[in-house]
Amino acid sequence: MMNDKNPKTENEMRDNHAEMNKRVQYTWLKETLAQHEPTFIDMDQCHQAAVCIPLLKNQDSSYDVLFEVRSSTIAHQPGDVWMVEKGETPREAALRELKEELLLKEDQISYLGDMDKLYSGGSLVMHSFATEVKGYQNTFNPAEVAEVFTVPLEFFLHTDPECYVIRAKVEPGEDFPYELICGGREYRWRSRKEEVCFYQYEGHVIWGLTAKLMRAFADVVRDRETGYEKHV
């Protein structure tokens, strides 16, 4: 006895299966991507560093920014940054280092907020955090810090840094597969360009990543007060 319904041809069934697969893939991809938080590619290959921007109340009830000059005996970037250790967040690293290097007690530090992150072309991601330090008595660990000094926050709010451009030439390794790229050894690589900024205050030079972080911090404060346009 024949079925009253017209049987589907093999091609029709194949088309229906293909359409169903498309719907399943689309739904799956939508759900997968909805749960994905975008990040920077190769971020896991970057060094993670973190610093605090320590603020001290001065006699005028305004803020000074406290700076350290790190000891020249430190092997990695003397006078510069703090690296995030395994198992801690950037904020934890920055606060830990602040306490250790300035010999502070935990209740002397008030966390104010997360500041901007800075990516350096040298595969370094710098996290920064604003803090207020209370009751500071000019203490520091001489094994890690050579000296400390302060600069009025007002200086950064009213002073733009001097900035210069440096370029780094791309030099592929000896085993680089030139035969796989257009132009081979004659390929015209783009040189890496980076801005290096400097502040000068009463004989002190604040430069490099520290200067960029202070410029960004000043931009945030000015933007809140006056609608000042941030540097881009």
Side-chain angles (χ1 to χ4, degrees), residues 40-69:
F40 290 99
I41 296 173
D42 290 340
M43 180 66 76
D44 58 336
Q45 298 180 27
C46 292
H47 297 292
Q48 301 288 314
V51 296
C52 282
I53 301 174
L55 303 175
L56 308 178
K57 280 281 190 181
N58 58 33
Q59 294 180 348
D60 298 326
S61 295
S62 299
Y63 280 115
D64 292 336
V65 184
L66 177 64
F67 292 94
E68 305 175 16
V69 177

Side-chain angles (χ1 to χ4, degrees), residues 17-191:
H17 288 162
E19 186 62 31
M20 182 179 296
N21 286 339
K22 287 182 181 179
R23 288 198 299 270
V24 171
Q25 291 176 0
Y26 176 83
T27 301
W28 183 85
L29 283 173
K30 283 286 288 184
E31 292 175 350
T32 300
L33 297 180
Q35 299 171 19
H36 173 68
E37 183 175 345
T39 184
F40 290 99
I41 296 173
D42 290 340
M43 180 66 76
D44 58 336
Q45 298 180 27
C46 292
H47 297 292
Q48 301 288 314
V51 296
C52 282
I53 301 174
L55 303 175
L56 308 178
K57 280 281 190 181
N58 58 33
Q59 294 180 348
D60 298 326
S61 295
S62 299
Y63 280 115
D64 292 336
V65 184
L66 177 64
F67 292 94
E68 305 175 16
V69 177
R70 299 189 72 193
S71 172
S72 60
T73 61
I74 296 176
H76 180 74
Q77 289 187 281
D80 226 331
V81 302
W82 302 333
M83 305 308 293
V84 178
E85 295 182 356
K86 186 176 181 180
E88 64 183 354
T89 66
R91 186 196 300 183
E92 290 170 343
L95 295 176
R96 170 182 55 76
E97 290 284 359
L98 186 66
K99 287 190 295 183
E100 292 177 359
E101 295 191 356
L102 298 181
L103 305 178
L104 299 172
K105 296 179 181 178
E106 191 164 346
D107 60 5
Q108 288 183 267
I109 304 172
S110 294
Y111 166 76
L112 294 174
D114 289 20
M115 294 306 302
D116 295 330
K117 301 179 184 67
L118 174 62
Y119 171 73
S120 167
S123 297
L124 176 72
V125 177
M126 174 74 74
H127 304 259
S128 60
F129 307 91
T131 59
E132 180 179 346
V133 176
K134 301 175 181 177
Y136 182 58
Q137 300 296 320
N138 294 322
T139 55
F140 57 85
N141 180 354
E144 299 185 61
V145 180
E147 64 174 298
V148 295
F149 64 94
T150 60
V151 178
L153 176 59
E154 183 179 3
F155 169 78
F156 296 101
L157 297 179
H158 297 91
T159 306
D160 289 328
E162 298 178 7
C163 297
Y164 304 86
V165 172
I166 60 173
R167 299 179 187 275
K169 183 180 179 181
V170 176
E171 296 184 353
E174 294 182 0
D175 60 344
F176 187 82
Y178 287 101
E179 68 277 7
L180 300 181
I181 65 174
C182 181
R185 291 184 177 275
E186 302 303 318
Y187 181 80
R188 299 179 62 181
W189 299 93
R190 289 187 178 182
S191 62

